[in-house]
């Protein structure tokens, strides 16, 4: 394995592919979420304004799926948690995923596209943890209003969380690793180029090549990520 030397600071970006082998669908693979539902109908602020019931039902179903005992972190999530525990330098784990599988594996992950297990009150704007269904009668845990609880996720046209912090980490990292993301959604799709422009070495871990990287590990994340982590910790 070619790695930068010295390698002190790492940024890891994960996408839906890391959770695929845990049983969660990706968005753009064959049979993925966007082949079953139009993103314009469920993942934009306009969709929410048009038809709250439909958007709420879509996210209720995904939240319920996440609670299914069969959905568990896989060896890729677990390997990253071990890396985060044992890496002596800086490591920022950024995920585009709204699932909580990194946390369940023991990682601290930064959710740039929000979280399925949180809702945001349209009255007071507070984000609150949420388990189970959202209904029109659901009360905001923070202000008690029944004005509406939207999923606390980042839809198309909305600004992802923490971009300043991520940009800073990208400008300082020696190594950038993208795992299980198609590289189609910006700004995350631009992170590898940003890191490379600052001199970082870039690695892609995916079933297929998606863009320009210095090195590729092609294969299922449950096999490739533990191998990569073992080499980083060796
Ligand atoms: C495996 C595997 C296995 C499978 N092992 N690998 C024109 C040009 C440029 C940009 C734009 C444009 N028009 C509009 C935009 C902006 C827009 C955008 O990027 N659109 C593109 C589609 C063109 N972006 C936005 O609107 C973003 N906001 C924004 O830009 O704000 C403006 C702004 C930014 C910065 C500064 C100032 C202003 C917001 C994007 C929000 C995305 N939201 C979603 C939904 C979240 C909630 C939910 O989950 O429902 O986020 S969309 C969806 O896509 C989700 C994901 O996080 C995101 C990325 O998907 P991901 O993770 O890459 O999944 P897939 O399915 O695409 O890929 C899976 C990959 O895994 C594949 O490569 C497989 O091969 C691989 N894989 N199994 C390893 N076992």
């Amino acid at each position: 394995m070619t790695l930068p030397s010295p390698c002190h600071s790492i940024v890891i970006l994960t996408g839906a592919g890391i959770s695929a082998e845990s049983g969660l669908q990706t968005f753009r693979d064959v049979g993925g979420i966007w082949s079953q539902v139009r993103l314009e109908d469920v993942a934009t602020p306009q969709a929410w304004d048009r038809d709250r019931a439909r958007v709420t039902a879509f996210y209720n179903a995904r939240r319920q799926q996440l609670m299914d005992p069969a959905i568990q972190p896989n060896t890729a999530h677990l390997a990253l948690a071990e890396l985060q525990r044992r890496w002596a330098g800086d490591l920022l784990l950024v995920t585009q995923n709204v699932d909580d599988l990194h946390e369940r594996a023991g990682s601290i992950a930064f959710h740039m596209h929000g979280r399925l297990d949180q809702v945001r009150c349209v009255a007071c704007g507070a984000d609150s943890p949420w388990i189970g269904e959202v209904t029109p009668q659901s009360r905001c845990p923070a202000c008690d209003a029944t004005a509406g609880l939207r999923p606390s996720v980042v839809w198309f046209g909305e600004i992802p969380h923490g971009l300043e912090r991520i940009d800073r980490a990208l400008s300082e990292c020696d190594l950038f690793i993208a795992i299980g993301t198609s590289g189609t959604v910006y700004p995350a799709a631009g992170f590898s180029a940003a890191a490379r422009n600052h001199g970082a070495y870039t690695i892609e871990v995916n079933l297929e090549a998606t863009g320009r990287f210095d090195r590729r590990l092609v294969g299922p994340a449950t096999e490739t990520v533990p191998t990569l982590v073992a080499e980083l910790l060796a």
Side-chain angles (χ1 to χ4, degrees):
M1 162 88 48
T2 313
L3 289 172
S5 177
C7 184
H8 171 77
S9 177
I10 306 176
V11 175
I12 300 173
L13 173 70
T14 63
I18 196 170
S19 297
E21 292 166 85
S22 292
L24 296 178
Q25 283 170 300
T26 63
F27 293 93
R28 296 170 185 83
D29 291 313
V30 175
I33 293 175
W34 298 152
S35 69
Q36 289 156 16
V37 57
R38 280 172 14 110
L39 68 88
E40 294 84 357
D41 290 336
V42 293
T44 64
Q46 294 77 12
W48 171 253
D49 291 341
R50 234 177 6 246
D51 193 346
R52 282 189 186 188
R54 180 170 189 177
V55 174
T56 301
F58 173 72
Y59 284 97
N60 278 343
R62 287 179 59 203
R63 194 177 302 109
Q64 188 181 7
Q65 185 193 23
L66 198 52
M67 298 298 148
D68 183 332
I71 305 295
Q72 296 293 336
N74 62 48
T75 54
H77 298 102
L78 293 167
L80 292 184
E82 188 190 358
L83 179 64
Q84 208 171 31
R85 264 194 311 275
R86 293 180 49 197
W87 184 252
D90 296 330
L91 193 159
L92 178 64
L93 174 58
V94 181
T95 187
Q96 298 170 87
N97 298 344
V98 297
D99 67 57
D100 62 349
L101 296 182
H102 281 306
E103 285 76 12
R104 287 200 237 163
S107 280
I108 297 170
F110 187 81
H111 287 260
M112 65 176 291
H113 289 167
R115 298 181 61 131
L116 205 46
D117 57 6
Q118 291 184 0
V119 291
R120 183 171 315 134
C121 174
V122 299
C124 74
D127 285 320
S128 302
W130 197 267
I131 300 168
E133 285 219 323
V134 173
T135 70
Q137 291 75 40
S138 294
R139 290 188 178 280
C140 169
C143 75
D144 213 34
T146 53
L149 296 176
R150 60 160 279 182
S152 185
V153 301
V154 178
W155 286 323
F156 284 100
E158 297 184 319
I159 298 184
H161 302 303
L163 293 178
E164 268 185 39
R165 177 182 176 196
I166 297 169
D167 281 347
R168 198 165 49 246
L170 290 170
S171 70
E172 292 167 357
C173 71
D174 307 303
L175 176 61
F176 173 82
I177 305 170
I179 302 171
T181 175
S182 58
T184 48
V185 176
Y186 287 86
F191 289 174
S192 59
R196 192 181 330 102
N197 289 343
H198 286 287
Y201 186 78
T202 58
I203 300 178
E204 166 158 68
V205 181
N206 201 309
L207 293 178
E208 60 188 21
T210 70
R212 192 174 152 208
F213 288 85
D214 295 311
R215 185 170 178 102
R216 269 180 223 299
L217 294 177
V218 177
T222 54
E223 294 172 17
T224 46
V225 175
T227 304
L228 175 60
V229 166
E231 299 203 29
L232 285 166
L233 291 175

